[in-house]
Amino acid sequence: MTTETTESVDVAGGDSGRAPGAVPGEGHEAAEILASARTHVDPELRRAIDSLPGSLRRIALYHFGWEHADGTPASGNAGKAIRPALVLTAVRALGGEPAAAVRAAAAVELVHNFTLLHDDVMDRDTTRRHRPTAWTVFGEAGAILTGDALQALAQRLVAEDPHPGAPAAAARLTACVVELCAGQLADSALEARGPDEVTLEECLAMAEAKTGALLGCACALGAVYAGAGKEEADALDGFGREAGLAFQLIDDVIGIWGDPGRTGKPAGADLAARKKSLPVVAALASGTPAAAELAELYGGAGDGTRGFEGARIEKAGVEKAGIEKAGEVREFAARAAHAVERAGGRDWAQGHAADRMSKAVGQLAGAVPDPESAGGLLALAEFVTRRTY
Amino acid sequence: MTTETTESVDVAGGDSGRAPGAVPGEGHEAAEILASARTHVDPELRRAIDSLPGSLRRIALYHFGWEHADGTPASGNAGKAIRPALVLTAVRALGGEPAAAVRAAAAVELVHNFTLLHDDVMDRDTTRRHRPTAWTVFGEAGAILTGDALQALAQRLVAEDPHPGAPAAAARLTACVVELCAGQLADSALEARGPDEVTLEECLAMAEAKTGALLGCACALGAVYAGAGKEEADALDGFGREAGLAFQLIDDVIGIWGDPGRTGKPAGADLAARKKSLPVVAALASGTPAAAELAELYGGAGDGTRGFEGARIEKAGVEKAGIEKAGEVREFAARAAHAVERAGGRDWAQGHAADRMSKAVGQLAGAVPDPESAGGLLALAEFVTRRTY
């Protein structure tokens, strides 16, 4: 399954905050919300990270893009802060005071980054946000331990927050971490199976746990900090989850057909690694001749050597298996991408993303009936799912 | 550095709770305290683990010794529960109600086990509590993610605890997790350096962070739950830290000269892996002819291939380097052990352990002047540091 997340696909070019190719004005509100969230949350995030002992701090600062590997300051490339923005925007949507939820917003961002550090180790991903991943620079132990420390910092920010919503937020955040872990473990397990042994339903459930849960939790935390009840918080959780699924579907599409200059990883890397992303699994399940061709390309039934340990073997094996050179990887990826497209995987993913967005909008309307109040959350959801590629 | 912990050295044989070879009656109080802690904390621990989704739960139940790898029930071999016992005994020592601190005690045990799961992955340790480590059975991803989930459960237990001491406990627990991570990272860094590039001071600081911090935190949490102020909690933290250092020193001695039937790992494994345990580093720093011999055995100056990634190479390299067979490993370990002993490493470790215990007793007396009230904590500290080997 695709393990990439929002920040791995930088759509808004440079500092303009506008997606290249987007209709002028579209995404502008979202870009402003994201920039504002970054401004409010970054100092809290920096303070938390600065409290770490030197060795862990250095790795965290590198991971967040605030330092180069040699410890010199970097301009910062910490991603788009979508999750903190969701927290603060949800607070505002429900009539609360966003400034009071800055710690919770920072906590969500810390949790997100703790999972990125660990996922990159497990998936042996070598590039994130256009830079070498932390484990490739500081070793596995450094990345695992920094991730552990970031989780502790996240929990501390909420535990020490005197806000009356903090206890409920802490409960939601820890439940979310458990769900994220279960989602990543399900991902490992799915990758270990053959292309014909994985159902679309399982993959969607995995994506919901892995990607939807934290986006949902971010929105729910905003509701909690606005003083909303459980029902409203759950509805906002549902909004974030559905939007998260839509985002993952689009992210998977970008992972196959996106511009490597923007995705920050080589063209067709996911396909070359035989990732069972959602469009791929939908294509495999289509019963078309293209599905059979794709299954053939993906190597037939599971032999138990894929998945976590297998993913490494596979990545190393890409070279051994006769597609040594970049050109051959590209050719393999192009053939696979073409098969996914002919089998309807791309159309299905885009259509299903639209369905999920429509469900998200429904959940949002239930919790925030006033369209003006709901506008910010809607803008964010549309921003992450309407990215050009 | 040695990465083993209390539970890896089962001294109390079977269910008798008495260290074989110990003077009858000695350790009896500690054994009763440990058994009682297990009884009170296990249901809370089981409840927390049972709340995990199936895949994570299964790995956690295996790690705690409650299930076999195939998911069938096991009799349980979850270690000696020293940390939960310290929490509950510290509450009692300061006149509080131990039953009110059961969640905090379970949280400390969850933190301990989250670090064990991760440390075993990082150190590539294959045996814990006489069983294959979780990552060897369920893969690295399974062990890393289960560790992550256990940390979340630990934080949740404290966050959801309505006890007035819970917020202060949460702050101490998260600070402790950060210190544990820094300690383990320092350990990795020290292992990457040559035997003549590591000072005893650094190693002691690392051992304090890696082992002392959580034992100290356990005692401090007990104080907090007894309603004690910061000063008393800090003194109990100091007691736990000093006792923890004493424990680590003795554990390192057992790692070299202990009975493999009790330590649960092959004789001389730490020496064969060139672990820079405290007796080894003290021996290397002694300036004796035996120190030079030991440095020679340990392979001279650091070549940058040891440490985290290097440890794997080294473990694999044990075979390649001409000590293929168990007999040769034993011979190598025996020569190294003899050199450590002649260089005074064993005597220093035992003497320094006694010093640390005496400091621990001083800290304890400051916080709990009444010897009868302090008796339980003292018994526990003596139990873990007076183990036979």
Side-chain angles (χ1 to χ4, degrees):
Chain A
M1 286 285 109
T2 163
T3 57
E4 291 305 314
T5 59
T6 312
E7 285 69 18
S8 64
V9 186
D10 281 335
V11 169
D15 294 317
S16 76
R18 182 174 300 162
V23 178
E26 200 170 83
H28 188 65
E29 184 185 358
E32 273 179 10
I33 293 172
L34 290 169
S36 165
R38 188 93 276 165
T39 308
H40 287 92
V41 173
D42 271 2
E44 192 69 45
L45 220 42
R46 283 301 287 256
R47 201 159 27 242
I49 290 167
D50 284 343
S51 76
L52 292 174
S55 51
L56 296 168
R57 186 172 62 238
R58 192 175 152 202
I59 300 172
L61 287 170
Y62 172 82
H63 170 76
F64 276 93
W66 289 324
E67 280 188 5
H68 297 294
D70 64 2
T72 56
S75 60
N77 177 19
K80 287 278 165 289
I82 284 158
R83 290 156 194 82
L86 284 173
V87 176
L88 302 180
T89 309
V91 176
R92 189 185 301 277
L94 286 161
E97 175 48 67
V102 165
R103 284 191 199 181
V108 167
E109 189 67 358
L110 287 167
V111 163
H112 176 52
N113 282 280
F114 124 62
T115 64
L116 295 183
L117 280 161
H118 284 190
D119 289 358
D120 284 342
V121 170
M122 289 180 255
D123 298 335
R124 290 293 182 272
D125 280 327
T126 55
T127 303
R128 172 162 309 278
R129 297 167 188 157
H130 303 265
R131 305 162 81 215
T133 45
W135 73 269
T136 66
V137 178
F138 300 98
E140 282 186 12
I144 292 172
L145 293 163
T146 305
D148 290 342
L150 294 189
Q151 184 186 176
L153 290 182
Q155 308 283 5
R156 195 189 75 192
L157 277 180
V158 180
E160 290 184 353
D161 193 344
H163 192 284
R172 284 186 181 265
L173 197 61
T174 53
C176 176
V177 168
V178 170
E179 192 173 353
L180 292 170
C181 294
Q184 169 73 9
L185 191 54
D187 192 359
S188 295
L190 288 173
E191 290 297 337
R193 282 146 64 184
D196 52 354
E197 298 166 351
V198 169
T199 70
L200 193 50
E201 206 173 18
E202 286 174 307
C203 291
L204 285 166
M206 185 280 294
E208 181 177 335
K210 208 179 139 161
T211 305
L214 189 55
L215 292 166
C217 179
C219 297
L221 257 55
V224 163
Y225 270 73
K230 187 179 177 304
E231 210 173 314
E232 278 169 308
D234 286 347
L236 279 197
D237 187 279
F239 161 73
R241 274 174 193 268
E242 297 295 349
L245 245 300
F247 158 70
Q248 186 61 62
L249 286 154
I250 298 300
D251 200 50
D252 283 357
V253 167
I254 293 174
I256 298 174
W257 294 280
D259 172 0
R262 293 196 192 139
T263 61
K265 53 184 195 173
D270 281 358
L271 290 169
R274 273 79 157 179
K275 285 242 172 202
K276 298 190 196 74
S277 68
L278 291 163
V280 167
V281 176
L284 287 167
S286 66
T288 59
E293 189 190 319
L294 181 63
E296 178 74 25
L297 281 167
Y298 258 52
D303 55 5
T305 62
R306 273 185 223 89
F308 171 55
E309 292 296 341
R312 306 182 193 193
I313 296 163
E314 201 120 279
K315 281 184 189 179
V318 166
E319 282 164 42
K320 289 187 206 126
I323 41 174
E324 272 94 348
K325 295 169 205 90
E328 290 174 19
V329 171
R330 267 200 303 276
E331 194 197 311
F332 174 88
R335 281 177 60 202
H338 192 51
V340 174
E341 187 145 19
R342 280 183 292 123
R346 186 176 187 163
D347 285 347
W348 171 83
Q350 288 174 322
H352 197 70
D355 288 351
R356 292 289 184 159
M357 263 305 277
S358 134
K359 279 189 193 166
V361 171
Q363 292 271 17
L364 181 59
V368 189
D370 172 32
E372 201 175 323
S373 302
L377 285 173
L378 216 50
L380 283 176
E382 285 178 347
F383 177 79
V384 297
T385 53
R386 273 199 194 164
R387 300 171 304 158
T388 54
Y389 48 91
Chain B
M1 286 285 109
T2 162
T3 57
E4 291 305 313
T5 58
T6 313
E7 285 70 17
S8 64
V9 186
D10 281 335
V11 170
D15 293 317
S16 76
R18 182 175 300 161
V23 178
E26 200 170 84
H28 188 64
E29 184 184 358
E32 273 179 8
I33 293 172
L34 290 169
S36 164
R38 188 93 276 163
T39 308
H40 287 92
V41 174
D42 270 1
E44 192 68 46
L45 221 42
R46 283 300 289 255
R47 199 158 28 241
I49 289 166
D50 283 344
S51 77
L52 291 173
S55 51
L56 297 167
R57 185 171 63 237
R58 190 175 154 203
I59 300 172
L61 287 170
Y62 173 82
H63 170 76
F64 275 94
W66 289 324
E67 280 188 6
H68 297 295
D70 64 2
T72 55
S75 60
N77 177 20
K80 286 281 166 287
I82 284 157
R83 290 157 193 81
L86 284 172
V87 176
L88 302 180
T89 310
V91 175
R92 189 185 301 278
L94 286 160
E97 174 49 65
V102 166
R103 284 191 199 181
V108 167
E109 189 67 358
L110 286 167
V111 163
H112 176 53
N113 282 280
F114 124 61
T115 64
L116 295 183
L117 279 161
H118 284 190
D119 289 358
D120 284 342
V121 170
M122 289 180 256
D123 298 335
R124 291 293 182 273
D125 280 327
T126 55
T127 303
R128 171 161 309 276
R129 298 167 188 157
H130 303 266
R131 305 163 81 215
T133 45
W135 72 269
T136 66
V137 178
F138 299 98
E140 282 187 13
I144 292 172
L145 292 163
T146 305
D148 291 342
L150 293 189
Q151 183 186 176
L153 290 182
Q155 308 283 6
R156 194 189 75 191
L157 277 180
V158 181
E160 290 184 353
D161 193 345
H163 192 283
R172 284 186 181 266
L173 197 60
T174 54
C176 176
V177 168
V178 170
E179 191 174 352
L180 292 170
C181 293
Q184 170 73 9
L185 190 55
D187 192 1
S188 294
L190 288 173
E191 290 297 337
R193 283 146 63 184
D196 53 353
E197 297 166 351
V198 169
T199 71
L200 194 49
E201 208 173 15
E202 287 174 306
C203 291
L204 284 167
M206 185 280 295
E208 182 177 334
K210 208 179 138 160
T211 306
L214 188 54
L215 292 166
C217 179
C219 296
L221 256 55
V224 164
Y225 270 74
K230 187 180 177 305
E231 209 172 315
E232 278 168 307
D234 286 348
L236 277 197
D237 188 278
F239 161 74
R241 274 175 192 268
E242 297 295 348
L245 245 301
F247 159 70
Q248 187 61 62
L249 286 154
I250 299 299
D251 200 50
D252 283 357
V253 167
I254 293 174
I256 298 174
W257 294 280
D259 172 0
R262 293 197 191 139
T263 61
K265 53 184 196 174
D270 282 357
L271 290 168
R274 274 79 158 180
K275 284 241 172 204
K276 299 190 195 74
S277 68
L278 290 163
V280 167
V281 176
L284 287 167
S286 66
T288 59
E293 189 190 319
L294 181 62
E296 178 74 23
L297 281 168
Y298 257 52
D303 54 7
T305 62
R306 273 184 222 90
F308 171 54
E309 291 296 341
R312 306 183 193 193
I313 297 162
E314 201 120 279
K315 281 184 188 178
V318 165
E319 282 164 41
K320 290 188 205 126
I323 41 174
E324 272 96 347
K325 295 168 204 89
E328 290 174 20
V329 172
R330 267 200 301 277
E331 195 195 311
F332 174 88
R335 282 177 59 203
H338 192 51
V340 174
E341 186 145 21
R342 280 182 292 122
R346 185 176 187 163
D347 285 348
W348 171 84
Q350 288 175 321
H352 197 69
D355 288 352
R356 292 288 185 160
M357 263 305 278
S358 133
K359 280 189 193 167
V361 171
Q363 292 271 18
L364 180 60
V368 188
D370 172 34
E372 202 175 323
S373 302
L377 286 172
L378 215 51
L380 283 176
E382 285 179 347
F383 177 79
V384 297
T385 53
R386 273 199 195 164
R387 300 171 303 159
T388 55
Y389 48 89

